[in-house]
Amino acid sequence: LNKCCFVHSRVGSNEVLPLTKSFFSYLYTSRDLVHLDATMATACAGSVESKNTKEKYDEGTNYVEAGIEANAFFFGLIIVAPFLSLLLGYLTSPEMAADHPGVATAPFEMAKACASDLPGCGKALLTTGLSVTPTADGIQFILAFVLVALILDQILPGKIETGPETHTGHVPKYVDNAILHCIFSTAIFWAGSNLGPLTEPIYDFGIIYDTFKGAIAFLNIFGMVFCGFLTWKGLHHPSTEDCGSSGSLIKDYLWGTELYPRIGSLDLKRFINCRFSMTFWQLAGLSFAYRSYTLHGVIDWGLTLSAVSQYVYLFKFFLWEMGYMRSIDIIVDRAGFEIQWGCLVWVPAVYTLHTRFLVQNPSGLSLPVASVIFVISIAGVLFNYLADRERDVFRAKQGKCLVWGKPPKYITAEYEIVDRKTGKKTTKKSLLLASGFWGVARHFQYLFELTAAWSWCLLANPLKNGVLPLFYCVFLTYLLIDRAERDSKKCHLKYGSYYEEYCRLVPWKILPGIH
């Protein structure tokens, strides 16, 4: 009965959602809504009859009305994303450079030619995407990469840290060994390569570029199958009570059925989001820079400094990993296709695009010009860390600290959690910081993250290489604006009037005077 976590009503209201407010919501109605798992329907029948609609929504959710039907852009993107990731894999490959020289750097001319022959263009795109298939080398590299990450996750020591308590009273626990993971992952990747100490190296340091096309195809297939497993697990064998069905198999697959899935001691969400995805991104830039050097015989300063800056950014990420485990990706977004496939496939395909692109299309930037952009990117990384650190220290000291040399302003907000077994409600408190970086805007740290992201893409020299290397920073800009909106909605639902008071103190979301 604890698996009955239907989400048909809006938090804070007893009104049943029609789920037909847009075309996208329509996809979650009619045929799909009535084809629920028979076992689940039988097991939940008695429970559903005894609960009002608000309770049915509250169980297994974390103060959010979630799902991609709320955003038309992301809904459309998620449909084409698996195929798009294959095209991006081909776009930056040696085959693309050999068969279509100069095309990748002239996307507008490519689009113009495509518009003149849409059927032919569509057929060519389909053929190209389907040509990106798993390779033995790609599969072998990914499996080895995952195995090393699994071993490090399990054996490296660390202090036990906790995430925020969920609406059902669950408090996730983590071993804080992220920095050790980062250091050992880098050392192992270097040591096994031709740049390491082995007289007979296991692989070339450029292996991530060399195997990328086959690896991304394998990850694509594996990611879709794995998300099917997560959907089933959340319905039938959930790790916590923050779980259950929306009543739609499609939405369950995309959004997820479980907030904190685990297999034994392995936290699946953290492993995929951090230990695989972020580590792959971190090491990929270095591998791409090396492969560029071996191909062209000179250092591409745009690529090299971009890779170094991203490595520093991701080192900062691992330093701050416990902060990430308390962010909206973890405490709100369930482990479904949107997040888990995104971290398995979308991050490797898109977040490394601007550096991977430069392997075949050098930036041509001089060291002085690249250095100026590099310094700006590092400043963005530094201030992003300082903002996150400021809030972490404030929370750890329960507001008993100085922020920018002064006692901090903050709101003591109250909220309720519900024991699903007894129905008992318990009042909890959170401190909402309204000083320092967090007094300038509610997500001022996003501005610094975007500064770094745009700098990395500018190091790809779009004036020479066209607009395609800007895809990542444009996507991230939209993503963070949307995330700020979602976080605001979540906090309004969780804290109510307390958050409204906080918004009066800090009216801007990201950039004062603009957003």
Side-chain angles (χ1 to χ4, degrees), residues 95-205:
E95 292 79 8
M96 174 69 179
D99 297 341
H100 309 284
V103 173
T105 59
F108 293 117
E109 287 78 1
M110 181 170 54
K112 184 178 179 180
C114 190
S116 65
D117 181 16
L118 289 177
C121 180
K123 182 179 179 180
L125 284 174
L126 182 62
T127 301
T128 300
L130 295 179
S131 73
V132 181
T133 57
T135 61
D137 288 345
I139 295 172
Q140 185 178 25
F141 173 72
I142 292 298
L143 292 179
F145 193 92
V146 169
L147 178 61
V148 171
L150 278 170
I151 293 172
L152 292 178
D153 181 78
Q154 295 297 303
I155 68 172
L156 292 177
K159 180 182 177 182
I160 302 298
E161 297 280 0
T162 60
E165 190 170 18
T166 69
H167 202 179
T168 63
H170 172 67
V171 179
K173 294 182 179 180
Y174 309 99
V175 177
D176 186 9
N177 56 11
I179 283 296
L180 288 176
H181 165 84
C182 176
I183 294 171
F184 275 89
S185 294
T186 302
I188 292 171
F189 182 66
W190 165 78
S193 77
N194 59 312
L195 299 182
L198 299 180
T199 54
E200 295 185 10
I202 303 172
Y203 49 82
D204 187 274
F205 196 76

Side-chain angles (χ1 to χ4, degrees), residues 152-153 156-159 175-185 270 274-275 279 282 314-322 325:
L152 292 178
D153 181 78
L156 292 177
K159 180 182 177 182
V175 177
D176 186 9
N177 56 11
I179 283 296
L180 288 176
H181 165 84
C182 176
I183 294 171
F184 275 89
S185 294
R270 182 174 80 158
C274 305
R275 303 311 167 84
T279 308
Q282 184 178 45
L314 289 159
F315 183 89
K316 182 272 304 181
F317 171 85
F318 287 115
L319 185 64
W320 174 77
E321 188 187 66
M322 283 304 105
M325 302 312 292

Side-chain angles (χ1 to χ4, degrees), residues 410-465:
Y410 59 89
I411 300 294
T412 302
E414 296 183 352
Y415 63 98
E416 289 184 338
I417 63 169
V418 181
D419 187 321
R420 287 180 62 186
K421 294 180 180 179
T422 65
K424 180 182 178 182
K425 295 182 178 180
T426 304
T427 300
K428 299 284 186 175
K429 293 183 179 180
S430 290
L431 303 183
L432 309 179
L433 179 60
S435 290
F437 292 109
W438 303 91
V440 178
R442 303 199 291 274
H443 293 284
F444 198 42
Q445 84 278 23
Y446 287 173
L447 178 64
F448 304 131
E449 187 162 350
L450 290 173
T451 298
W454 278 89
S455 298
W456 301 330
C457 292
L458 290 176
L459 283 167
N461 196 0
L463 294 178
K464 172 181 176 290
N465 281 329

Side-chain angles (χ1 to χ4, degrees), residues 330-349:
I330 303 299
I331 68 174
V332 168
D333 294 332
R334 288 185 174 191
F337 182 90
E338 297 174 35
I339 292 295
Q340 305 317 128
W341 180 92
C343 288
L344 283 168
V345 184
W346 192 250
V347 169

Side-chain angles (χ1 to χ4, degrees), residues 26 118 122 171 220 263 326 398 432 445 504:
Y26 170 76
L118 289 177
V171 179
N220 210 348
I263 295 180
R326 301 177 182 110
Q398 291 293 300
L432 309 179
Q445 84 278 23
R504 286 192 288 270

Side-chain angles (χ1 to χ4, degrees), residues 223 227 230-231 251-258 261 269 333-343:
C227 290
L230 290 176
T231 303
K251 185 170 181 177
D252 284 351
Y253 179 78
L254 294 177
W255 170 244
T257 55
E258 193 172 4
K269 208 172 185 182
D333 294 332
R334 288 185 174 191
F337 182 90
E338 297 174 35
I339 292 295
Q340 305 317 128
W341 180 92
C343 288

